[in-house]
Amino acid sequence: QVQLVESGGGLVQAGGSLRLSCAASGIIFRSNVMEWYRQAPGRQRELVATITSAGSTNYADSVKGRFTIYRGNAKNTVYLQMDSLSPEGTAVYYCHVKFSYWGQGTQVTVSS
């Protein structure tokens, strides 16, 4: 069975930082492109960051320079380090195995 378990969400003040984790099981982790999406209430789900099996990364323009995606292959975990958070970052963040599986999401709330 495939499981993606997100953690690390919570409440943070504007300008602060959070690190999200996504622990994967049931997949060959190193062979998959991993992604983070986010969805705010009333908004479409948007792609935030992507990391390939080779470690190449891509970011949405809105988070570039502030967010970092990286993976710990030995732990089958992908991370999203979020710095300089703003209220616009408030959303449910989802881990995604490209073309296949979704996690349940973790809530991030940024207060001003």
Side-chain angles (χ1 to χ4, degrees), residues 11 13 15 39 41 45 58 63-64 67 77 91 101 107:
L11 175 64
Q13 292 185 346
Q39 186 169 25
R45 189 171 297 186
N58 285 287
V63 306
K64 193 172 297 182
F67 289 13
T77 302
Y101 303 104
Q107 176 71 50

Side-chain angles (χ1 to χ4, degrees), residues 15-92:
S17 298
L18 286 173
R19 187 182 73 167
L20 306 183
S21 299
C22 172
S25 62
I27 61 171
I28 304 173
F29 184 77
R30 291 178 57 91
S31 299
N32 285 281
V33 176
M34 302 297 297
E35 299 179 322
W36 285 97
Y37 281 75
R38 68 184 179 187
Q39 186 169 25
R43 295 179 178 269
Q44 293 185 339
R45 189 171 297 186
E46 64 175 342
L47 177 62
V48 175
T50 299
I51 185 165
T52 71
S53 59
S56 298
T57 58
N58 285 287
Y59 300 92
D61 288 342
S62 60
V63 306
K64 193 172 297 182
R66 299 185 297 114
F67 289 13
T68 304
I69 186 171
Y70 61 101
R71 60 200 301 162
N73 289 333
K75 298 180 179 180
N76 289 346
T77 302
V78 62
Y79 304 91
L80 185 68
Q81 177 67 42
M82 305 185 294
D83 297 321
S84 301
L85 283 163
S86 67
E88 288 71 32
T90 295
V92 178

